[in-house]
Amino acid sequence: MDLPAVGLGTMGVADSAAIETAIEAGYRHLDTAQIYENERVVGDGIAAADTDREALTVATKLWIDRLAADDVRPGTEASLDRLGLDSVDLLYVHRPRGGYDAETTLPALEAVRDDGLTDAVGLSNFEPAQLDAAREYLDDIAAHQVEFHPYFWREALLADAQRHGYPLVAYSPLAGGQVFDDPTIRAVAEKHDTTAAAVSIAWVLSHDNVVTIPKASSRAHLEANLAAAALELDAEDIERIDGIEREEELFPE
Ligand SMILES: NC(=O)c1ccc[n+]([C@@H]2O[C@H](COP(=O)([O-])OP(=O)(O)OC[C@H]3O[C@@H](n4cnc5c(N)ncnc54)[C@H](OP(=O)(O)O)[C@@H]3O)[C@@H](O)[C@H]2O)c1
């Protein structure tokens, strides 16, 4: 799947004007989920923006209580109804838990994809072994969305994405804001005369096959995060950030 380097995370966005502003600022990949309870907000923002639907990649995620095979189709239809769309571009399994069973859930997702309710099926928060098991029942993993920031990322998941050639969608690239006070990241930011937010996003994007979806509400943050894709860190910067010892998983199982 061809995703732009920086898309929009919408968890906690409750105002459709922020979505409209993001699209107008240039965001083309919008990421929501049933559990964020804002699919209607995202749909209203898309409807209000002066941009063709075809220019946008809209992604949502089936929550764990909609993953039993019989729940996949009605769950997907309910999301489309809230979004006000005929189809999404990417439909994820949010977590391999609850009603998830690779053997039955994934064929049900392929069926809604084959019927045009989504263009592609993605996975989120899978372990390497769960990706291998998923490949037995899903012909194409279009993307894998995982937590990825200087305090937490998984080499094995990156390697799987690179080996199989699908994008790893890095969520919480700013560690929910925690990187802003990090002395190492601040020092690299100072060197490039930019912000810690930009450095964290650029560090995430320095990995092959990785795109990201920072969440932002204000126009200034939205524009700054898009622009961060152009920031080039050198090998020394990357090494310094790789060397940060703090480990913090924000969304453990
Ligand atoms: N698949 C999953 O299980 C999963 C789990 C968690 C998150 N996600 C996705 O990933 C997205 C992003 O993750 P996240 O929301 O946890 O955190 P994040 O993107 O790491 O950080 C968002 C925070 O940083 C602030 N911010 C953004 N840009 C900034 C800038 N340029 N300067 C200063 N502050 C800035 C935002 O404030 P403002 O809003 O005030 O701009 C917000 O408080 C979510 O919205 C969601 O779509 C997926």
Side-chain angles (χ1 to χ4, degrees), residues 64-180:
I64 60 174
D65 60 1
R66 291 291 174 275
L67 294 175
D70 287 347
D71 295 330
V72 165
R73 185 175 297 265
T76 305
E77 287 169 347
S79 278
L80 293 176
D81 184 52
R82 287 187 290 267
L83 284 159
L85 300 175
D86 295 332
S87 68
V88 285
D89 301 273
L90 183 53
L91 180 65
Y92 289 100
V93 172
H94 202 141
R95 287 187 177 273
R97 285 207 276 120
Y100 178 77
D101 169 27
E103 194 175 345
T104 52
T105 303
L106 297 174
L109 276 156
E110 281 187 341
V112 297
R113 183 197 61 197
D114 294 346
D115 289 345
L117 277 62
T118 182
D119 268 5
V121 174
L123 307 175
S124 182
N125 299 303
F126 276 52
E127 295 291 326
Q130 292 170 322
L131 291 170
D132 285 336
R135 270 187 279 272
E136 295 191 23
Y137 304 103
L138 179 62
D139 54 10
D140 183 32
I141 298 174
H144 186 204
Q145 185 175 133
V146 296
E147 183 169 341
F148 198 119
H149 49 75
Y151 302 147
F152 188 81
W153 65 291
R154 304 267 306 280
E155 179 70 50
L157 299 179
L158 177 61
D160 192 275
Q162 292 171 343
R163 188 163 58 246
H164 293 278
Y166 58 79
L168 198 73
V169 179
Y171 75 68
S172 304
L174 307 172
Q178 295 191 44
V179 297
F180 303 151

Side-chain angles (χ1 to χ4, degrees), residues 7-13 27 30-33 35-36 38 61 63 92-95 123-125 145-149 169-180 195-198 200-201 212-226 228 250-251:
L8 181 70
T10 68
M11 189 171 66
V13 176
Y27 283 83
L30 310 172
D31 181 83
T32 181
I35 196 72
Y36 305 164
N38 69 352
K61 312 183 195 79
W63 187 238
Y92 289 100
V93 172
H94 202 141
R95 287 187 177 273
L123 307 175
S124 182
N125 299 303
Q145 185 175 133
V146 296
E147 183 169 341
F148 198 119
H149 49 75
V169 179
Y171 75 68
S172 304
L174 307 172
Q178 295 191 44
V179 297
F180 303 151
T195 63
S200 194
I201 289 170
T212 191
I213 48 167
K215 177 256 179 184
S217 329
S218 68
R219 184 159 199 125
H221 288 171
L222 288 164
E223 288 178 350
N225 295 348
L226 272 186
L250 303 179
F251 297 95

